[in-house]
Amino acid sequence: MTASQKPVLLTGASGNLGRMLAAELSARGHSLVLTDIKPFPDPLPEGARFTTVDLGDGLAMMRIAEGCQAILHFGGVSVDRPFEEVLDPNIRGLYHVYEAARREGARVLFASSNHSIGFHERPSGNAAKLDADCAFRPDSFYGLSKAYGELMGRLYWDKHGVENLNVRIGSCFPEPVDARMLSTWLSFADLARLCADFIAAPKVGHAVIWGASDNPATYWGTDHRDRIGWQPQDSAEAFREQVGGKVSGNPVTERYQGGAYCASDYSRAGPSPRETFALD
Ligand code: 15L
């Protein structure tokens, strides 16, 4: 079996993005191993099998990854949750994913998030966009787990040569639903193309990509998309009239890239570290 015929493991297969990717990648002819802690709710796509696996179970992860060429890691907690809920799936689970990848010689696509850098301010006017090599500024325990996941990729590439692509997903939904998403929206079709390009790329190394469509109002600048030859084709701009007025009215939410995740449980006296200490 050649590398391109070997199956692709998709974790988090029963979630919204997982279900969409299972259908799209199967339609592109990939053989898929699907896993999630929850049952797969759809009829199984052609060339796919599904097994329930808890990311916290290292042995089960090793077994399910056997013979796979790549792991698309969309499993784990995908929203702002208390630390104890994030710990097992997103911290311990990530280690299991990477150990399985190391053993199989598989590459990893890690579904990271804009919340790993959420406390960067939104650029106003012509201000410089944020490049992918910026500092992590997590806005939640969830965002912190995504920063950790990206660093795990850094470690496994430097130490073990496990290739990995870290996609800082903005807001991947069928359509943008508020004004922030004019900057952060990633269409399902652009994400599916990104995953297909990742599987097909001759070399990835350790790379970071902003997971957003071709949005003119983007917060984000350069990244490593050339490594996989990905170019987003959709744009949130078509939805401006529909969602342009949908803002929260919360100054913390509206100031930072991570939006409501920054404002959640926020307890600083002022809205910004810069104003308090004249420091960034
Ligand atoms: C995320 O990381 C979440 O998974 C998603 O539910 C959205 O909240 C998204 O970020 C966002 O920032 O819009």
Side-chain angles (χ1 to χ4, degrees), residues 9-10 21-22 29 56 89 118 144 154 175 219 230 254 259 266 276 279:
L9 173 62
L10 174 64
L21 288 172
L144 183 62
R154 182 78 259 181
E175 289 185 0
Y219 304 149
W230 176 68
E254 298 305 324
Y266 190 86
T276 315
L279 289 173

Side-chain angles (χ1 to χ4, degrees), residues 78-79 113-115 142 169-173 180-181 184 258 261:
S78 64
V79 288
S113 167
N114 72 90
H115 298 291
Y142 163 68
I169 299 177
S171 310
C172 194
F173 295 99
R180 171 176 168 271
M181 291 193 195
T184 60
Y261 285 56

Side-chain angles (χ1 to χ4, degrees), residues 253-268:
T253 298
E254 298 305 324
R255 181 169 196 145
Y256 297 109
Q257 299 193 3
Y261 285 56
C262 298
S264 161
D265 202 27
Y266 190 86
S267 71
R268 295 186 70 88

Side-chain angles (χ1 to χ4, degrees), residues 1-9 31-33 49 60-71 99-107:
M1 201 182 266
T2 65
S4 62
Q5 291 167 327
K6 286 166 83 178
V8 171
L9 173 62
S31 136
L32 298 172
V33 177
R49 61 188 161 89
M61 278 306 295
M62 291 273 185
R63 287 209 184 105
I64 199 75
E66 257 167 38
C68 290
Q69 57 162 310
I71 304 177
E99 272 303 293
R102 170 157 89 121
R103 201 170 104 148
E104 295 304 319
R107 60 174 57 165

